[in-house]
Amino acid sequence: MNRETVVAAALDLLDEVGLDAVSTRQLAKRLGVEQPSLYYHFRNKNELLSAMAEAAMAPHATAPLPQPADHWRDWLLENTRSFRRTLLMRRDGARLHAGSMPGGADLDRITRKMDFLLASGLPEREAQMAMLAAGRYTVGCVLEEQADADLGVGTEHPVVPMIDQESAFEAGLALILDGLAQHVEA
């Protein structure tokens, strides 16, 4: 058993039972080990959750970085869509990701993305806020979408209307990018 095995089993458990029901006791049982043996790999549950969040974000972490010829708007749209798709790949993906801190290679990727936005004519403050706003908007949308799915919203319901989650996400994202376009320096 190694860290990757533990994280993979924890993510499978997450998909089956949801974030609130993930426990080191259940994880140890799934792995066929005693609970204290998990602490060889992770000092506590928070460290395990951080590793799970990092592993869950792997599809987005390998998405292409922007190229100099890319248009900032097209790239930011696709980057944000990739982030959303990745969060939706896991049950409670938005909750798992919320509050996690990037590190190592993620920081390098963020720096490259920021450099691209700056080279595209966005002032530094607006580029920072664009990345922050797009990220938090996406996490919030996915959080609501996953909560709605857990509650059965989106099916026939007398009070809550049907919502096309993807169209709603795209409309809000367009508003963010339209506002950002006003700050691009020619």
Side-chain angles (χ1 to χ4, degrees), residues 118-138:
L118 295 173
S120 296
L122 283 167
E124 184 173 5
R125 178 75 175 155
E126 282 72 14
Q128 290 170 342
M129 291 301 102
M131 293 290 291
L132 182 65
R136 289 187 173 178
Y137 170 72
T138 304

Side-chain angles (χ1 to χ4, degrees), residues 36-139:
S37 66
L38 294 176
Y39 297 112
Y40 175 78
H41 301 287
F42 301 97
R43 290 180 299 199
N44 53 46
K45 186 175 177 183
N46 285 339
E47 193 174 292
L48 172 62
L49 290 172
S50 292
M52 290 169 61
E54 182 179 344
M57 291 307 300
H60 182 63
T62 58
L65 287 167
Q67 300 301 309
D70 291 343
H71 188 276
W72 71 267
R73 184 183 181 107
D74 295 337
W75 173 80
L76 192 53
L77 269 169
E78 186 47 43
N79 184 67
T80 307
R81 289 171 179 154
S82 168
F83 183 41
R84 177 178 179 265
R85 284 190 302 270
T86 300
L87 291 173
L88 286 168
M89 292 173 99
R90 295 282 176 188
R91 181 174 179 181
D92 295 331
R95 287 183 57 212
L96 179 64
H97 176 76
S100 64
M101 297 299 290
D106 292 330
L107 291 175
D108 292 339
R109 289 180 61 81
I110 291 168
T111 299
R112 297 245 335 251
K113 293 173 182 183
M114 283 295 300
D115 289 346
F116 169 76
L117 292 175
L118 295 173
S120 296
L122 283 167
E124 184 173 5
R125 178 75 175 155
E126 282 72 14
Q128 290 170 342
M129 291 301 102
M131 293 290 291
L132 182 65
R136 289 187 173 178
Y137 170 72
T138 304
V139 170

